[in-house]
Each structure stands twice: as structure tokens, then as C-alpha cells.
Amino acid sequence: MKISAQEEYGLRCLVQLATLAADESLTLPQIAEREGVSQANAGKLMWLLSKAGFVQSTRGTKGGYTLARPASKIYLNEVIKILDGDEINTHCESYTGILEVCVHKGDCGIRPVIVGLHKIVDEALSNITLSQLVGEERKVTQTFQQIQRLEKKVAQEILGS
Amino acid sequence: MKISAQEEYGLRCLVQLATLAADESLTLPQIAEREGVSQANAGKLMWLLSKAGFVQSTRGTKGGYTLARPASKIYLNEVIKILDGDEINTHCESYTGILEVCVHKGDCGIRPVIVGLHKIVDEALSNITLSQLVGEERKVTQTFQQIQRLEKKVAQEILGS
DNA sequence: TCAAATCTATACTTTTATGTCAAGATTCAT
DNA sequence: ATGAATCTTGACATAAAAGTATAGATTTGA
């Protein structure tokens, strides 16, 4: 389970915009520079994020990108879904081996794992907003560590029973 | 965040072995048939799993594959690490853009998210064994759903404070 | 109006992951 | 011993993801 390049760089570009004051914006060259990616690549990512409604773009001499809504209203699970696709609903169609359709119909040992994992990730990300990734306000680590601790507890209770 | 083909098919092949009685084994053609993958592909996966010590192989006419230990002692997080690499420790080296090294040194907004996510996934998988994916004994869904419920609660407590 | 700065959109190239092939090694049965 | 069945291993081919290039569209300001 890896984070794709699109997820990584797309998210990073968004975070750059989240650091801006209300009246500021960034151009493609600026974003590319700040994230150490090529301008062409940044352009493609911003185009995606723009289509999806996370950022607002304006063309022309004074143009650039800004967030389309406040950073505190942009949830990571939504961003990830745009950058990496809605994996949970396409998984079984993607892994059919050499057959037209997966051999496991209604009787798949690992499907609960796959689905459950995606849901756990989605749930965790749905609690994090862009604004939490900026400056001093970072509660992410604390939140995630707490989740982890409880995972252990849950497992003991359920599996031990 | 996607599950790779190697993770998917590798895990499925392992589950096939977990369904066997103690004195049974499966050959490459049998595994390939049961999972709807090519024999060549199954061969590569089993080779990986064999090298990693999850399965035991024997060559020759009466040969085939069996699990190297009881299914109840094979944890999914270990299997996934073999099939997909130790992502958490290589992530930042993989995503350096067009530079030699990532622009974010000691000041990365999204690193806590990446690391936290991987840890949450690892923790969840460390509670699931192969034996839980077989037959009637499936407690996976229950465990994962409970984790999800608690994630919500944790987020409320921490982020609301 | 025109040129410069900027984003947009698609096609193309490169890189990486996936999957296949074929020759070799080992074991078993006769 | 020999041949058939099986796993092993590295090289190769294919497909998918990632990244680049380029021509076009829009806006600003002189």
C-alpha cells in the first residue's frame, strides 16, 4: 500500500496554497520552485485540483492559484480521492488476473481486509484538513498516534473474545 | 493509496495454502488455476514468499507448496511488507521531485500524515492472521469496523479540544 | 492593439511495475 | 539410470504510471 506520486506532489502543492494570506496567490513557476517539481508537472497537478474544485485559477499577467475554499474546509480524504481515484469501488475489477472477472464471487477471503483497510484510511483522513498541515497548528501526529493506540486495544478485545 | 498487484495476488496465493489440511500441498499449476493467474506469475509470487520464509516448497514429482508455519502465526503486516516493500522507511527518498533530495527538511507538512497513515495500516494488519481469512472464522470485518468507529471518537476528542 | 505573463489541454516520452518465457535444478517413480 | 513432474532464477516483453513538451486560450498593461 503505497502513496502515489500524484498523491504526494498534489497534496504538497495544495499545502503551499494553504500557507498564503487571504489576498495572495502563487503562479505555476512559484509552486514548482517551492516544491522542487518541474513546472510542467506542477501544471498538470494544479489542473487536476482545479477541475476538482479545490483551487481557483486565474489566467493572465496577474494570475495564479488560490484555494477555492478556506483550508479548514478542505479534507484530505476528498483530496486523495481525486488524486488517486476511488480505489475502494474499483479494486475488484482491477485484479482479475488472466480472467475476465475475479474468481472469488461472494466468497473472497481477503476482500474484507481490502475494504476495511480503505475505510480505516479514509476515516483517518476525513478528520484532517489542510489547515492542520500548516504552521504550528499540527495536531495530526497526536490524532494518528491516538488512533493507533486504540487499534491495539480494539484488537485485543475482539480477537481475544 | 492503492494495494498493488503483488500484494493482492501474493496474499491470495497464501490464503489458498491456508485452506489446506496439514498433510496437503498445492503445485504451481493448482495455485494458478485456483486464483485465476498465470502459472508464470504464480511462480514468481511463490518464489518471493518462499524466500521470505512464509511458504515451504519441495521440488520433484510429489512436490508443491505448503505454509512454513501455522496460518495462525502468519500476520498480514509481515506479508505485506515483503510483497510491497518497507514503504515507510523509503518514502521521503522516493519523492524528491526533480531535485536530489526533498525540499522539506525537518519542516514537512505532510510527513506526519504519511507516516501516521502507514502506521495505522500496519497496526491494523498486525492483528490479522492468515487463519482469520479462511472459512467461518472471519473476524476481520468486525475488528476493522470497530477500529473505524473508534477513529471517529478519537478525532472528535482531540480535534475538538 | 499588441506583447508578455499566465493557465489549459492534449499528445508524447520515459520510467517503473507487471507479467512472461525459457533454461536449469531437484525429486520421485519405474 | 532415465524421464516426468516440479520448483528456481534471471532475462525479457508488456502495460501502466509518471513526467514532459507544446500549442492554444485568457488576461493585463503599455
Side-chain angles (χ1 to χ4, degrees):
Chain A
M1 251 202 149
K2 279 186 188 149
I3 281 142
S4 71
Q6 259 194 174
E7 289 176 285
E8 166 85 17
Y9 298 127
L11 194 48
R12 275 163 55 174
C13 290
L14 266 190
V15 170
Q16 282 299 335
L17 296 184
T19 66
L20 299 179
D23 58 342
E24 295 177 313
S25 70
L26 286 178
T27 68
L28 230 26
Q30 288 174 320
I31 294 172
E33 157 96 48
R34 293 189 186 196
E35 285 304 333
V37 301
S38 73
Q39 189 172 322
N41 202 4
K44 191 185 209 172
L45 292 166
M46 295 314 290
W47 175 61
L48 256 175
L49 292 167
S50 177
K51 265 202 319 183
F54 294 114
V55 309
Q56 183 138 47
S57 66
T58 50
R59 297 202 258 201
T61 308
K62 290 287 182 186
Y65 297 93
T66 60
L67 292 182
R69 338 168 219 155
S72 60
K73 292 273 164 38
I74 298 182
Y75 293 89
L76 294 205
N77 64 325
E78 295 172 17
V79 177
I80 290 304
K81 190 177 286 179
I82 291 301
L83 293 171
D84 208 41
D86 187 5
E87 185 59 13
I88 195 169
N89 290 313
T90 56
H91 181 88
C92 292
E93 280 70 36
S94 317
Y95 296 105
T96 62
I98 56 176
L99 307 174
E100 282 301 306
V101 61
C102 183
V103 290
H104 300 287
K105 305 298 290 181
D107 163 39
C108 182
I110 72 168
R111 197 174 137 74
V113 177
I114 310 289
V115 172
L117 229 40
H118 276 119
K119 283 188 178 169
I120 286 172
V121 168
D122 188 79
E123 176 62 39
L125 289 175
S126 75
N127 294 303
I128 311 293
T129 66
L130 266 194
S131 61
Q132 287 165 44
L133 307 187
V134 177
E136 296 310 311
E137 260 192 272
R138 294 183 194 159
K139 288 187 177 175
V140 177
T141 302
Q142 193 188 354
T143 306
F144 279 15
Q145 281 178 355
Q146 185 71 6
I147 288 174
Q148 233 191 306
R149 250 176 254 125
L150 281 174
E151 280 183 298
K152 251 176 239 187
K153 212 169 142 195
V154 169
Q156 278 172 4
E157 283 170 13
I158 292 189
L159 299 173
S161 71
Chain B
M1 250 202 150
K2 281 186 186 149
I3 282 142
S4 71
Q6 259 194 176
E7 289 175 285
E8 167 85 16
Y9 298 128
L11 193 48
R12 275 162 57 176
C13 291
L14 265 191
V15 170
Q16 282 298 336
L17 295 184
T19 66
L20 300 178
D23 59 342
E24 295 177 314
S25 70
L26 287 177
T27 68
L28 230 26
Q30 287 174 319
I31 294 172
E33 156 96 50
R34 293 189 185 195
E35 284 304 331
V37 301
S38 72
Q39 189 172 323
N41 202 4
K44 191 184 206 171
L45 292 167
M46 295 313 290
W47 175 61
L48 256 175
L49 292 167
S50 178
K51 263 202 319 178
F54 294 114
V55 309
Q56 184 137 46
S57 65
T58 50
R59 297 203 259 202
T61 308
K62 290 286 181 187
Y65 296 92
T66 59
L67 292 182
R69 343 168 215 154
S72 60
K73 292 272 163 41
I74 298 182
Y75 293 90
L76 294 205
N77 65 326
E78 294 172 17
V79 177
I80 290 305
K81 191 176 286 181
I82 291 301
L83 293 171
D84 208 42
D86 187 6
E87 185 58 12
I88 196 169
N89 290 315
T90 55
H91 180 89
C92 292
E93 279 71 36
S94 317
Y95 296 107
T96 62
I98 56 175
L99 306 174
E100 281 302 306
V101 62
C102 182
V103 289
H104 300 288
K105 304 299 289 181
D107 165 39
C108 182
I110 73 169
R111 196 174 137 75
V113 177
I114 311 291
V115 172
L117 229 41
H118 276 119
K119 283 188 177 168
I120 286 172
V121 167
D122 188 78
E123 177 62 39
L125 289 175
S126 75
N127 294 302
I128 310 294
T129 67
L130 266 193
S131 61
Q132 288 166 42
L133 307 186
V134 177
E136 297 308 311
E137 258 192 272
R138 296 184 194 161
K139 287 186 177 175
V140 178
T141 303
Q142 193 189 354
T143 307
F144 279 15
Q145 281 178 355
Q146 185 70 8
I147 288 174
Q148 234 189 305
R149 251 176 254 125
L150 280 176
E151 279 183 315
K152 252 176 237 186
K153 212 170 141 194
V154 170
Q156 277 171 5
E157 283 170 13
I158 292 190
L159 299 174
S161 69

